[in-house]
Amino acid sequence: MALRKKDLMPTPDLLTDATCPDCRGEHFVIGPRGGLAANVRCAGCGSKFWYCPPFPSERIDNADSFYTQPPIRLRDWQVSD
Ligand SMILES: [Zn+2]
């Protein structure tokens, strides 16, 4: 598979398409939340991101034990829910 320009971006932006930049998965487990931000973990590959639309998502690395909820489609979810 050829690399696309998007695969080479250092900062993944989940807000654009709500899919994992590593595996293209659309399901995420919601972890710790604060204010309008949340930590989310890809249900497919385990990559973790700070998610706070409309700001660009950032890659994070915290404990998998923070993520205990069932996976959801991030595009159907609002941090304020
Ligand atoms: Zn993934």
Side-chain angles (χ1 to χ4, degrees):
M1 187 180 82
L3 280 176
R4 292 163 296 181
K5 183 178 179 184
K6 191 167 191 171
D7 296 325
L8 302 175
M9 291 175 63
T11 302
D13 188 356
L14 294 177
L15 181 63
T16 301
D17 53 9
T19 58
C20 176
D22 296 336
C23 75
R24 311 309 300 167
E26 295 184 345
H27 293 82
F28 292 83
V29 176
I30 307 302
R33 296 162 61 170
L36 292 176
N39 295 172
V40 300
R41 180 180 186 273
C42 176
C45 71
S47 292
K48 288 169 272 194
F49 305 93
W50 177 83
Y51 181 67
C52 186
F55 303 102
S57 300
E58 295 180 14
R59 205 172 280 274
I60 58 172
D61 186 15
N62 55 11
D64 288 336
S65 59
F66 288 141
Y67 302 86
T68 57
Q69 300 180 36
I72 60 167
R73 282 170 57 98
L74 199 57
R75 73 176 75 230
D76 298 333
W77 182 73
Q78 300 289 324
V79 179
S80 56
D81 286 351

